[in-house]
Amino acid sequence: MELRRRGYDVRVGKVGDKEVDFIARRGDAVSYYQVTYLIEAQQTAEREFGAFAGIRDNWPKYVLSMDEFPQTRDGIQGMNIIDWLLAGDVARP
């Protein structure tokens, strides 16, 4: 709902056998989001960051979680979801 409030058209995506939680489009801009409660286990990190593995474009990719110090890997930005909500539209290209 927050992405829609920010003016994005929001879809769920699938790349191979992996699901991307949200694909947000506004005009010609695209951003991708995975949302998880916490990334405590390596298995969770692999699942959330791995969902973007088949996406070969350069649009922003985010993993949002309640982690105080989120992980970032391979150009995919981890963010605390509360910080993301308070920051406004950080995904504006």
Side-chain angles (χ1 to χ4, degrees):
M1 291 306 298
E2 179 63 19
L3 287 166
R4 290 172 86 47
R5 187 189 70 75
R6 294 180 187 192
Y8 289 90
D9 177 44
V10 180
R11 305 267 187 241
V12 174
K14 197 162 178 102
V15 178
D17 63 340
K18 297 182 177 165
E19 182 178 293
V20 176
D21 290 340
F22 304 105
I23 300 171
R25 293 181 186 271
R26 183 170 55 197
D28 292 336
V30 177
S31 51
Y32 302 94
Y33 296 88
Q34 286 293 102
V35 182
T36 188
Y37 176 59
L38 290 172
I39 303 176
E40 294 176 321
Q42 185 64 27
Q43 181 181 9
T44 305
E46 294 300 323
R47 180 184 68 235
E48 299 302 329
F49 285 92
F52 300 121
I55 302 173
R56 300 287 180 216
D57 62 29
N58 291 319
W59 292 111
K61 296 164 186 72
Y62 300 95
V63 175
L64 305 177
S65 71
M66 289 296 294
D67 291 292
E68 189 173 340
F69 301 104
Q71 303 175 27
T72 297
R73 103 168 42 158
D74 300 325
I76 301 164
Q77 185 174 353
M79 291 185 74
N80 175 278
I81 195 163
I82 295 170
D83 292 341
W84 179 81
L85 288 166
L86 294 174
D89 199 359
V90 297
R92 186 171 297 203

Coordinates of all heavy atoms in Angstrom, one line a residue:
M1 N 0.8 -1.2 0.0 CA 0.0 0.0 0.0 C 0.9 1.3 0.0 O 0.5 2.2 -0.6 CB -0.9 0.0 1.2 CG -2.0 -1.1 1.2 SD -3.0 -1.1 -0.3 CE -3.8 0.5 -0.3
E2 N 2.0 1.2 0.7 CA 2.9 2.4 0.7 C 3.4 2.7 -0.6 O 3.5 3.9 -1.0 CB 4.0 2.2 1.7 CG 5.0 3.3 1.8 CD 4.3 4.6 2.4 OE1 3.3 4.6 3.0 OE2 4.9 5.7 2.1
L3 N 3.8 1.7 -1.4 CA 4.3 2.0 -2.8 C 3.2 2.6 -3.6 O 3.4 3.6 -4.4 CB 4.8 0.8 -3.4 CG 6.2 0.3 -2.9 CD1 6.4 -1.2 -3.3 CD2 7.3 1.2 -3.3
R4 N 2.0 2.1 -3.5 CA 0.8 2.7 -4.2 C 0.6 4.2 -3.8 O 0.3 5.0 -4.6 CB -0.4 1.8 -4.1 CG -0.2 0.5 -4.8 CD -1.3 -0.5 -4.5 NE -2.5 -0.5 -5.3 CZ -2.7 -0.4 -6.6 NH1 -1.7 -0.2 -7.4 NH2 -3.9 -0.5 -7.2
R5 N 0.7 4.4 -2.5 CA 0.5 5.8 -2.0 C 1.6 6.7 -2.6 O 1.3 7.9 -2.8 CB 0.6 5.8 -0.5 CG 0.3 7.1 0.2 CD 0.6 7.2 1.6 NE 2.0 7.2 1.9 CZ 2.8 8.2 1.8 NH1 2.4 9.3 1.3 NH2 4.1 8.1 2.1
R6 N 2.7 6.2 -2.9 CA 3.8 7.0 -3.4 C 3.7 7.1 -5.0 O 4.6 7.6 -5.6 CB 5.2 6.4 -3.1 CG 5.5 6.4 -1.6 CD 6.8 5.8 -1.2 NE 7.0 5.8 0.2 CZ 8.1 5.5 0.8 NH1 9.2 5.3 0.1 NH2 8.2 5.4 2.1
G7 N 2.6 6.6 -5.5 CA 2.4 6.8 -6.9 C 2.9 5.7 -7.9 O 2.9 5.9 -9.1
Y8 N 3.2 4.5 -7.3 CA 3.7 3.4 -8.1 C 2.6 2.5 -8.5 O 1.6 2.3 -7.7 CB 4.8 2.6 -7.3 CG 6.1 3.3 -7.2 CD1 6.3 4.1 -6.1 CD2 7.1 3.2 -8.1 CE1 7.5 4.8 -5.9 CE2 8.3 3.9 -8.0 CZ 8.5 4.7 -6.9 OH 9.7 5.3 -6.7
D9 N 2.7 1.9 -9.7 CA 1.9 0.7 -10.0 C 2.7 -0.5 -9.5 O 3.9 -0.6 -9.8 CB 1.8 0.6 -11.6 CG 1.0 -0.6 -12.0 OD1 0.0 -0.9 -11.4 OD2 1.5 -1.2 -13.0
V10 N 2.0 -1.3 -8.7 CA 2.7 -2.4 -8.0 C 2.2 -3.8 -8.5 O 1.0 -4.0 -8.6 CB 2.5 -2.3 -6.5 CG1 3.2 -3.4 -5.7 CG2 3.0 -0.9 -6.0
R11 N 3.2 -4.6 -8.8 CA 2.9 -6.0 -9.2 C 3.8 -7.0 -8.4 O 4.8 -6.6 -7.8 CB 3.3 -6.2 -10.6 CG 2.6 -5.2 -11.6 CD 1.3 -5.8 -12.1 NE 0.7 -4.9 -13.1 CZ -0.4 -4.4 -13.0 NH1 -1.2 -4.5 -12.0 NH2 -0.9 -3.6 -14.0
V12 N 3.4 -8.2 -8.4 CA 4.2 -9.3 -7.8 C 4.9 -9.9 -9.0 O 4.4 -10.1 -10.1 CB 3.4 -10.3 -7.1 CG1 4.2 -11.5 -6.7 CG2 2.7 -9.7 -5.9
G13 N 6.2 -10.3 -8.9 CA 6.9 -10.8 -10.0 C 7.5 -12.2 -9.8 O 7.5 -12.7 -8.6
K14 N 7.9 -12.9 -10.8 CA 8.4 -14.2 -10.7 C 9.6 -14.3 -11.8 O 9.4 -13.9 -12.9 CB 7.4 -15.3 -11.0 CG 7.8 -16.6 -10.6 CD 6.5 -17.5 -10.5 CE 6.9 -18.9 -10.1 NZ 6.7 -19.2 -8.8
V15 N 10.7 -14.7 -11.3 CA 11.9 -14.9 -12.1 C 12.3 -16.3 -12.0 O 12.8 -16.7 -10.9 CB 13.0 -13.9 -11.8 CG1 14.3 -14.2 -12.7 CG2 12.6 -12.5 -11.8
G16 N 12.1 -17.1 -13.0 CA 12.3 -18.6 -12.8 C 11.4 -19.1 -11.8 O 10.2 -19.0 -11.8
D17 N 12.0 -19.8 -10.8 CA 11.2 -20.3 -9.7 C 11.2 -19.4 -8.4 O 10.7 -19.8 -7.4 CB 11.7 -21.7 -9.3 CG 13.2 -21.7 -8.8 OD1 13.9 -20.7 -9.0 OD2 13.6 -22.7 -8.1
K18 N 11.7 -18.2 -8.6 CA 11.8 -17.3 -7.4 C 10.8 -16.2 -7.6 O 10.5 -15.7 -8.7 CB 13.2 -16.7 -7.3 CG 14.2 -17.8 -7.0 CD 15.6 -17.3 -6.9 CE 16.4 -18.4 -6.5 NZ 17.7 -18.4 -6.6
E19 N 10.2 -15.8 -6.5 CA 9.2 -14.7 -6.5 C 9.8 -13.4 -6.0 O 10.5 -13.4 -5.0 CB 8.0 -15.1 -5.6 CG 6.9 -14.1 -5.6 CD 5.8 -14.5 -4.7 OE1 5.1 -15.5 -5.1 OE2 5.5 -13.9 -3.7
V20 N 9.5 -12.3 -6.6 CA 9.9 -11.0 -6.2 C 8.7 -10.4 -5.6 O 7.6 -10.4 -6.2 CB 10.4 -10.1 -7.4 CG1 10.7 -8.7 -6.9 CG2 11.6 -10.8 -8.0
D21 N 8.8 -10.0 -4.3 CA 7.6 -9.5 -3.6 C 6.9 -8.4 -4.3 O 5.7 -8.5 -4.5 CB 8.0 -9.1 -2.2 CG 8.4 -10.2 -1.3 OD1 8.0 -11.4 -1.6 OD2 9.0 -10.0 -0.2
F22 N 7.6 -7.4 -4.7 CA 7.0 -6.2 -5.3 C 7.9 -5.7 -6.4 O 9.0 -5.4 -6.3 CB 6.7 -5.1 -4.3 CG 5.9 -5.5 -3.2 CD1 6.5 -5.7 -1.9 CD2 4.5 -5.8 -3.3 CE1 5.7 -6.1 -0.8 CE2 3.8 -6.2 -2.2 CZ 4.4 -6.4 -1.0
I23 N 7.2 -5.4 -7.6 CA 7.9 -4.7 -8.7 C 7.1 -3.4 -8.8 O 5.9 -3.4 -9.0 CB 7.8 -5.5 -10.0 CG1 8.5 -6.8 -9.9 CG2 8.4 -4.6 -11.1 CD1 8.3 -7.7 -11.0
A24 N 7.8 -2.3 -8.6 CA 7.1 -1.0 -8.5 C 7.5 -0.2 -9.8 O 8.7 0.0 -10.1 CB 7.5 -0.2 -7.3
R25 N 6.5 0.3 -10.5 CA 6.7 1.1 -11.7 C 6.0 2.4 -11.6 O 4.9 2.5 -11.1 CB 6.1 0.4 -12.9 CG 6.8 -0.9 -13.3 CD 6.2 -1.5 -14.6 NE 6.7 -2.8 -14.9 CZ 7.8 -3.0 -15.6 NH1 8.4 -2.0 -16.2 NH2 8.2 -4.2 -15.8
R26 N 6.8 3.5 -12.0 CA 6.2 4.8 -12.1 C 6.8 5.4 -13.4 O 8.0 5.7 -13.4 CB 6.5 5.6 -10.9 CG 5.9 7.0 -10.9 CD 5.9 7.7 -9.6 NE 7.3 7.8 -9.1 CZ 7.7 8.1 -7.9 NH1 6.8 8.3 -7.0 NH2 8.9 8.1 -7.6
G27 N 6.0 5.7 -14.4 CA 6.6 6.1 -15.6 C 7.5 5.1 -16.2 O 7.1 3.9 -16.3
D28 N 8.7 5.5 -16.6 CA 9.7 4.5 -17.1 C 10.6 3.9 -16.1 O 11.4 3.1 -16.4 CB 10.5 5.2 -18.2 CG 9.8 5.6 -19.4 OD1 8.7 5.0 -19.7 OD2 10.2 6.5 -20.1
A29 N 10.4 4.3 -14.8 CA 11.2 3.9 -13.7 C 10.7 2.6 -13.1 O 9.5 2.4 -12.9 CB 11.4 4.9 -12.7
V30 N 11.6 1.7 -12.7 CA 11.2 0.4 -12.0 C 12.1 0.3 -10.8 O 13.3 0.7 -10.8 CB 11.5 -0.8 -13.0 CG1 11.2 -2.1 -12.3 CG2 10.7 -0.6 -14.3
S31 N 11.5 -0.3 -9.7 CA 12.3 -0.7 -8.6 C 11.7 -2.0 -8.0 O 10.5 -2.3 -8.3 CB 12.3 0.4 -7.5 OG 11.0 0.8 -7.2
Y32 N 12.6 -2.8 -7.4 CA 12.2 -4.1 -6.9 C 12.3 -4.2 -5.4 O 13.3 -3.6 -4.9 CB 13.1 -5.2 -7.6 CG 13.1 -5.2 -9.1 CD1 14.0 -4.5 -9.8 CD2 12.2 -5.9 -9.8 CE1 14.1 -4.5 -11.2 CE2 12.2 -6.0 -11.1 CZ 13.1 -5.2 -11.8 OH 13.1 -5.3 -13.2
Y33 N 11.4 -4.9 -4.8 CA 11.4 -5.0 -3.3 C 11.2 -6.4 -2.8 O 10.3 -7.1 -3.3 CB 10.3 -4.1 -2.7 CG 10.5 -2.6 -3.0 CD1 10.0 -2.1 -4.1 CD2 11.2 -1.9 -2.1 CE1 10.2 -0.7 -4.4 CE2 11.4 -0.5 -2.3 CZ 10.9 0.1 -3.5 OH 11.1 1.4 -3.7
Q34 N 12.0 -6.8 -1.8 CA 11.7 -8.0 -1.1 C 11.5 -7.5 0.4 O 12.2 -6.6 0.8 CB 12.9 -9.0 -1.1 CG 13.2 -9.7 -2.3 CD 12.1 -10.7 -2.6 OE1 11.2 -10.5 -3.4 NE2 12.1 -11.8 -1.9
V35 N 10.5 -8.1 1.1 CA 10.2 -7.7 2.4 C 10.3 -9.0 3.3 O 9.7 -10.0 3.0 CB 8.9 -7.1 2.5 CG1 8.6 -6.6 3.9 CG2 8.8 -5.9 1.5
T36 N 11.0 -8.9 4.4 CA 11.1 -10.0 5.4 C 11.2 -9.4 6.8 O 11.6 -8.2 7.0 CB 12.3 -10.8 5.1 OG1 12.3 -12.0 5.9 CG2 13.6 -10.1 5.3
Y37 N 10.8 -10.1 7.8 CA 10.8 -9.6 9.1 C 12.2 -9.4 9.6 O 12.6 -8.3 9.9 CB 10.1 -10.6 10.1 CG 10.1 -10.2 11.5 CD1 9.6 -9.0 11.9 CD2 10.7 -11.0 12.5 CE1 9.7 -8.6 13.3 CE2 10.8 -10.6 13.8 CZ 10.3 -9.4 14.2 OH 10.4 -9.0 15.5
L38 N 13.1 -10.4 9.6 CA 14.5 -10.3 10.0 C 15.3 -11.2 9.1 O 14.8 -12.2 8.7 CB 14.7 -10.7 11.5 CG 14.1 -9.8 12.6 CD1 14.3 -10.5 13.9 CD2 14.9 -8.5 12.6
I39 N 16.5 -10.8 8.9 CA 17.5 -11.7 8.2 C 18.5 -12.2 9.2 O 19.6 -11.8 9.3 CB 18.2 -10.9 7.1 CG1 17.2 -10.3 6.1 CG2 19.2 -11.8 6.3 CD1 17.8 -9.4 5.1
E40 N 18.0 -13.2 10.0 CA 18.8 -13.7 11.1 C 19.7 -14.9 10.6 O 20.8 -15.1 11.0 CB 18.0 -14.2 12.2 CG 17.3 -13.1 12.9 CD 16.3 -13.6 14.0 OE1 15.6 -14.6 13.8 OE2 16.3 -12.9 15.1
A41 N 19.1 -15.7 9.7 CA 19.8 -16.9 9.2 C 20.3 -16.7 7.8 O 19.8 -15.9 7.0 CB 18.8 -18.1 9.2
Q42 N 21.4 -17.4 7.5 CA 22.0 -17.3 6.2 C 21.0 -17.8 5.1 O 20.9 -17.2 4.0 CB 23.3 -18.2 6.1 CG 24.0 -18.1 4.8 CD 24.5 -16.6 4.5 OE1 24.8 -15.9 5.4 NE2 24.6 -16.3 3.2
Q43 N 20.2 -18.7 5.5 CA 19.1 -19.2 4.6 C 18.1 -18.1 4.2 O 17.7 -18.0 3.0 CB 18.4 -20.4 5.2 CG 17.3 -21.0 4.3 CD 16.6 -22.2 5.0 OE1 16.8 -22.4 6.2 NE2 15.8 -22.9 4.3
T44 N 17.8 -17.3 5.1 CA 16.9 -16.2 4.9 C 17.5 -15.2 4.0 O 16.9 -14.7 3.0 CB 16.4 -15.5 6.2 OG1 15.9 -16.5 7.1 CG2 15.4 -14.4 5.9
A45 N 18.8 -14.9 4.2 CA 19.5 -13.9 3.4 C 19.6 -14.4 2.0 O 19.4 -13.7 1.0 CB 20.9 -13.7 4.0
E46 N 19.9 -15.7 1.8 CA 20.0 -16.3 0.5 C 18.7 -16.2 -0.3 O 18.6 -15.9 -1.5 CB 20.5 -17.7 0.5 CG 21.9 -17.9 1.0 CD 22.9 -17.2 0.1 OE1 22.8 -17.2 -1.1 OE2 23.9 -16.6 0.7
R47 N 17.6 -16.5 0.4 CA 16.3 -16.5 -0.2 C 15.9 -15.0 -0.6 O 15.5 -14.8 -1.7 CB 15.2 -17.0 0.8 CG 13.8 -17.0 0.2 CD 12.8 -17.4 1.2 NE 12.6 -16.5 2.3 CZ 12.7 -16.7 3.6 NH1 13.0 -17.9 4.0 NH2 12.6 -15.7 4.4
E48 N 16.1 -14.1 0.3 CA 15.7 -12.7 0.0 C 16.5 -12.0 -1.1 O 16.0 -11.4 -2.0 CB 15.6 -11.9 1.3 CG 14.6 -12.4 2.3 CD 13.2 -12.5 1.8 OE1 12.7 -11.7 1.0 OE2 12.5 -13.4 2.3
F49 N 17.8 -12.1 -0.9 CA 18.7 -11.5 -1.9 C 18.8 -12.3 -3.2 O 18.9 -11.7 -4.3 CB 20.1 -11.3 -1.3 CG 20.3 -10.2 -0.3 CD1 20.1 -10.4 1.0 CD2 20.6 -8.9 -0.7 CE1 20.2 -9.4 2.0 CE2 20.7 -7.9 0.2 CZ 20.5 -8.1 1.5
G50 N 18.6 -13.6 -3.1 CA 18.7 -14.5 -4.2 C 17.5 -14.3 -5.2 O 17.6 -14.7 -6.3
A51 N 16.4 -13.7 -4.7 CA 15.2 -13.5 -5.5 C 15.5 -12.6 -6.7 O 14.9 -12.6 -7.7 CB 14.1 -12.9 -4.7
F52 N 16.6 -11.8 -6.6 CA 16.9 -10.8 -7.6 C 18.0 -11.4 -8.6 O 18.3 -10.7 -9.5 CB 17.5 -9.5 -7.0 CG 16.5 -8.8 -6.1 CD1 16.9 -8.6 -4.8 CD2 15.3 -8.4 -6.5 CE1 16.0 -7.9 -3.9 CE2 14.4 -7.7 -5.7 CZ 14.8 -7.5 -4.4
A53 N 18.4 -12.6 -8.3 CA 19.6 -13.1 -9.1 C 19.3 -13.2 -10.6 O 20.2 -13.0 -11.4 CB 19.9 -14.6 -8.6
G54 N 18.1 -13.4 -11.0 CA 17.7 -13.5 -12.5 C 17.4 -12.2 -13.1 O 17.1 -12.2 -14.3
I55 N 17.4 -11.1 -12.4 CA 17.0 -9.8 -12.9 C 18.3 -9.1 -13.3 O 19.2 -8.8 -12.5 CB 16.3 -9.0 -11.9 CG1 15.0 -9.7 -11.4 CG2 15.9 -7.6 -12.5 CD1 14.3 -9.1 -10.3
R56 N 18.5 -8.9 -14.6 CA 19.7 -8.4 -15.1 C 19.7 -7.0 -15.5 O 20.5 -6.5 -16.3 CB 20.1 -9.3 -16.4 CG 20.3 -10.7 -16.1 CD 21.6 -10.9 -15.3 NE 21.7 -12.4 -15.1 CZ 22.2 -12.8 -14.0 NH1 22.6 -12.0 -13.0 NH2 22.3 -14.1 -13.8
D57 N 18.7 -6.2 -15.0 CA 18.7 -4.8 -15.3 C 19.4 -4.0 -14.2 O 19.9 -4.6 -13.2 CB 17.3 -4.3 -15.6 CG 16.4 -4.4 -14.4 OD1 16.9 -4.4 -13.2 OD2 15.2 -4.5 -14.6
N58 N 19.5 -2.7 -14.3 CA 20.2 -1.9 -13.3 C 19.3 -1.0 -12.5 O 19.7 -0.1 -11.9 CB 21.2 -1.0 -14.0 CG 22.4 -1.8 -14.6 OD1 22.8 -2.7 -14.0 ND2 22.8 -1.5 -15.8
W59 N 18.0 -1.4 -12.5 CA 17.1 -0.7 -11.6 C 17.3 -1.0 -10.2 O 17.8 -2.1 -9.9 CB 15.6 -1.0 -12.0 CG 15.2 -0.5 -13.4 CD1 15.0 -1.2 -14.5 CD2 15.0 0.9 -13.7 NE1 14.7 -0.4 -15.5 CE2 14.7 0.9 -15.1 CE3 15.1 2.1 -13.1 CZ2 14.4 2.1 -15.8 CZ3 14.9 3.3 -13.8 CH2 14.5 3.2 -15.1
P60 N 17.0 -0.1 -9.2 CA 17.2 -0.4 -7.8 C 16.5 -1.6 -7.3 O 15.4 -1.9 -7.6 CB 16.7 0.9 -7.1 CG 16.5 1.9 -8.2 CD 16.3 1.2 -9.5
K61 N 17.2 -2.3 -6.4 CA 16.7 -3.5 -5.7 C 16.9 -3.3 -4.2 O 18.0 -3.0 -3.8 CB 17.4 -4.7 -6.3 CG 17.1 -4.9 -7.8 CD 18.1 -5.9 -8.4 CE 17.9 -6.0 -9.9 NZ 18.4 -4.8 -10.6
Y62 N 15.8 -3.6 -3.5 CA 15.8 -3.4 -2.0 C 15.3 -4.6 -1.3 O 14.4 -5.3 -1.7 CB 14.9 -2.2 -1.6 CG 15.3 -0.9 -2.3 CD1 14.7 -0.5 -3.4 CD2 16.3 -0.1 -1.7 CE1 15.0 0.7 -4.0 CE2 16.6 1.1 -2.3 CZ 16.0 1.5 -3.4 OH 16.3 2.7 -4.0
V63 N 16.0 -4.9 -0.1 CA 15.5 -5.9 0.8 C 15.1 -5.1 2.1 O 16.0 -4.5 2.7 CB 16.5 -7.0 1.1 CG1 16.0 -7.9 2.2 CG2 16.8 -7.8 -0.1
L64 N 13.9 -5.0 2.4 CA 13.4 -4.3 3.6 C 13.1 -5.3 4.7 O 12.5 -6.3 4.5 CB 12.1 -3.5 3.2 CG 12.1 -2.6 2.0 CD1 10.8 -2.0 1.8 CD2 13.2 -1.5 2.2
S65 N 13.6 -4.9 5.9 CA 13.5 -5.8 7.1 C 13.5 -4.9 8.3 O 13.8 -3.7 8.3 CB 14.6 -6.8 7.1 OG 15.8 -6.2 7.5
M66 N 13.3 -5.6 9.5 CA 13.4 -4.9 10.8 C 14.8 -4.9 11.3 O 15.0 -4.4 12.4 CB 12.4 -5.5 11.8 CG 10.9 -5.3 11.4 SD 10.5 -3.5 11.6 CE 10.7 -3.2 13.3
D67 N 15.7 -5.4 10.6 CA 17.1 -5.5 11.1 C 17.6 -4.1 11.3 O 17.4 -3.1 10.5 CB 18.0 -6.1 10.0 CG 17.7 -7.6 9.9 OD1 18.0 -8.3 10.9 OD2 17.2 -8.0 8.9
E68 N 18.3 -3.9 12.5 CA 18.8 -2.6 12.8 C 20.0 -2.2 11.9 O 20.1 -1.0 11.5 CB 19.3 -2.6 14.3 CG 19.7 -1.2 14.8 CD 20.0 -1.2 16.2 OE1 19.6 -2.1 17.0 OE2 20.7 -0.3 16.7
F69 N 20.8 -3.2 11.5 CA 21.9 -2.9 10.6 C 21.7 -3.9 9.4 O 22.3 -5.0 9.4 CB 23.2 -3.2 11.3 CG 23.4 -2.3 12.5 CD1 23.3 -2.8 13.8 CD2 23.7 -1.0 12.3 CE1 23.4 -2.0 14.9 CE2 23.9 -0.1 13.4 CZ 23.8 -0.7 14.7
P70 N 20.9 -3.5 8.5 CA 20.6 -4.4 7.3 C 21.8 -4.7 6.5 O 22.8 -3.9 6.4 CB 19.6 -3.7 6.5 CG 19.2 -2.5 7.3 CD 20.2 -2.3 8.4
Q71 N 21.8 -5.9 5.9 CA 22.9 -6.3 4.9 C 22.7 -5.7 3.6 O 21.5 -5.4 3.2 CB 22.8 -7.8 4.8 CG 23.0 -8.6 6.0 CD 22.8 -10.1 5.8 OE1 23.1 -10.6 4.7 NE2 22.3 -10.8 6.8
T72 N 23.8 -5.5 2.9 CA 23.7 -5.1 1.5 C 24.7 -6.0 0.7 O 25.7 -6.4 1.2 CB 24.2 -3.6 1.3 OG1 23.2 -2.8 2.0 CG2 24.2 -3.2 -0.1
R73 N 24.2 -6.5 -0.5 CA 25.1 -7.4 -1.2 C 24.8 -7.3 -2.7 O 23.7 -7.1 -3.1 CB 24.9 -8.8 -0.7 CG 24.1 -9.7 -1.5 CD 24.2 -11.2 -1.1 NE 24.2 -11.5 0.3 CZ 23.8 -12.6 0.8 NH1 23.4 -13.6 0.0 NH2 23.8 -12.9 2.1
D74 N 25.9 -7.4 -3.5 CA 25.8 -7.4 -4.9 C 25.0 -6.2 -5.5 O 24.2 -6.4 -6.4 CB 25.3 -8.7 -5.4 CG 26.1 -9.9 -5.0 OD1 27.4 -9.7 -5.0 OD2 25.6 -10.9 -4.8
G75 N 25.1 -5.0 -4.9 CA 24.3 -3.9 -5.4 C 22.9 -3.8 -4.9 O 22.2 -2.9 -5.2
I76 N 22.5 -4.8 -4.2 CA 21.1 -4.8 -3.6 C 21.2 -4.2 -2.2 O 21.9 -4.6 -1.4 CB 20.6 -6.3 -3.5 CG1 20.6 -6.9 -4.9 CG2 19.2 -6.3 -2.9 CD1 20.5 -8.4 -4.9
Q77 N 20.4 -3.2 -2.1 CA 20.5 -2.4 -0.8 C 19.5 -3.0 0.2 O 18.3 -3.1 0.0 CB 20.1 -0.9 -1.1 CG 20.3 -0.1 0.1 CD 20.1 1.4 -0.2 OE1 19.9 1.8 -1.3 NE2 20.1 2.2 0.8
G78 N 20.1 -3.3 1.4 CA 19.2 -3.7 2.5 C 18.9 -2.4 3.3 O 19.7 -1.6 3.5
M79 N 17.6 -2.3 3.7 CA 17.2 -1.2 4.5 C 16.3 -1.6 5.6 O 15.5 -2.5 5.5 CB 16.4 -0.2 3.6 CG 17.3 0.5 2.6 SD 16.3 1.8 1.7 CE 16.2 3.0 2.9
N80 N 16.4 -0.9 6.7 CA 15.4 -1.0 7.8 C 14.1 -0.5 7.3 O 14.0 0.6 6.8 CB 15.9 -0.3 9.0 CG 14.9 -0.3 10.2 OD1 13.9 0.4 10.2 ND2 15.1 -1.3 11.1
I81 N 13.0 -1.2 7.4 CA 11.8 -0.9 6.9 C 11.2 0.4 7.5 O 10.6 1.2 6.8 CB 10.7 -2.0 6.9 CG1 9.6 -1.7 6.0 CG2 10.3 -2.3 8.3 CD1 8.7 -2.9 5.6
I82 N 11.5 0.6 8.8 CA 11.0 1.9 9.4 C 11.7 3.1 8.8 O 11.1 4.1 8.5 CB 11.1 1.8 10.9 CG1 10.2 0.7 11.5 CG2 10.8 3.1 11.6 CD1 10.4 0.4 12.9
D83 N 13.0 2.9 8.6 CA 13.8 4.0 8.0 C 13.3 4.3 6.6 O 13.2 5.4 6.2 CB 15.3 3.7 8.0 CG 15.9 3.6 9.3 OD1 15.4 4.2 10.3 OD2 17.0 3.0 9.5
W84 N 13.0 3.2 5.9 CA 12.5 3.4 4.5 C 11.1 4.1 4.5 O 10.9 5.0 3.7 CB 12.3 2.0 3.9 CG 11.8 2.0 2.5 CD1 12.4 2.3 1.3 CD2 10.4 1.8 2.1 NE1 11.6 2.2 0.2 CE2 10.3 1.9 0.7 CE3 9.3 1.5 2.8 CZ2 9.1 1.8 0.0 CZ3 8.1 1.3 2.1 CH2 8.0 1.5 0.7
L85 N 10.3 3.7 5.4 CA 9.0 4.4 5.5 C 9.1 5.9 5.8 O 8.5 6.8 5.3 CB 8.1 3.8 6.6 CG 7.5 2.4 6.2 CD1 7.0 1.7 7.4 CD2 6.4 2.5 5.1
L86 N 10.0 6.2 6.7 CA 10.2 7.6 7.2 C 11.0 8.4 6.1 O 10.9 9.7 6.1 CB 11.0 7.7 8.5 CG 10.2 7.1 9.7 CD1 11.1 7.1 10.9 CD2 8.9 7.9 9.9
A87 N 11.8 7.8 5.3 CA 12.6 8.5 4.3 C 11.8 9.0 3.1 O 12.3 9.9 2.4 CB 13.7 7.6 3.8
G88 N 10.6 8.6 3.0 CA 9.9 9.0 1.8 C 10.3 8.2 0.6 O 10.5 7.0 0.7
D89 N 10.4 8.8 -0.6 CA 10.6 8.1 -1.8 C 12.1 8.0 -2.2 O 12.6 8.7 -3.0 CB 9.8 8.8 -2.9 CG 9.6 7.9 -4.1 OD1 10.0 6.8 -4.1 OD2 9.0 8.4 -5.1
V90 N 12.7 7.0 -1.5 CA 14.2 6.8 -1.7 C 14.4 6.1 -3.1 O 15.6 6.1 -3.5 CB 14.8 6.0 -0.6 CG1 14.7 6.7 0.7 CG2 14.2 4.6 -0.5
A91 N 13.4 5.5 -3.7 CA 13.6 4.7 -4.9 C 13.4 5.6 -6.1 O 13.4 5.1 -7.2 CB 12.7 3.5 -4.9
R92 N 13.4 6.9 -6.0 CA 13.2 7.7 -7.2 C 14.5 7.8 -8.0 O 15.5 8.2 -7.5 CB 12.8 9.1 -6.7 CG 12.5 10.0 -7.9 CD 11.9 11.3 -7.3 NE 10.7 10.9 -6.6 CZ 9.7 11.8 -6.4 NH1 9.8 13.0 -6.8 NH2 8.6 11.4 -5.7
P93 N 14.4 7.3 -9.2 CA 15.6 7.3 -10.1 C 16.0 8.7 -10.5 O 15.2 9.6 -10.5 CB 15.2 6.4 -11.2 CG 13.8 6.2 -11.2 CD 13.3 6.7 -9.9

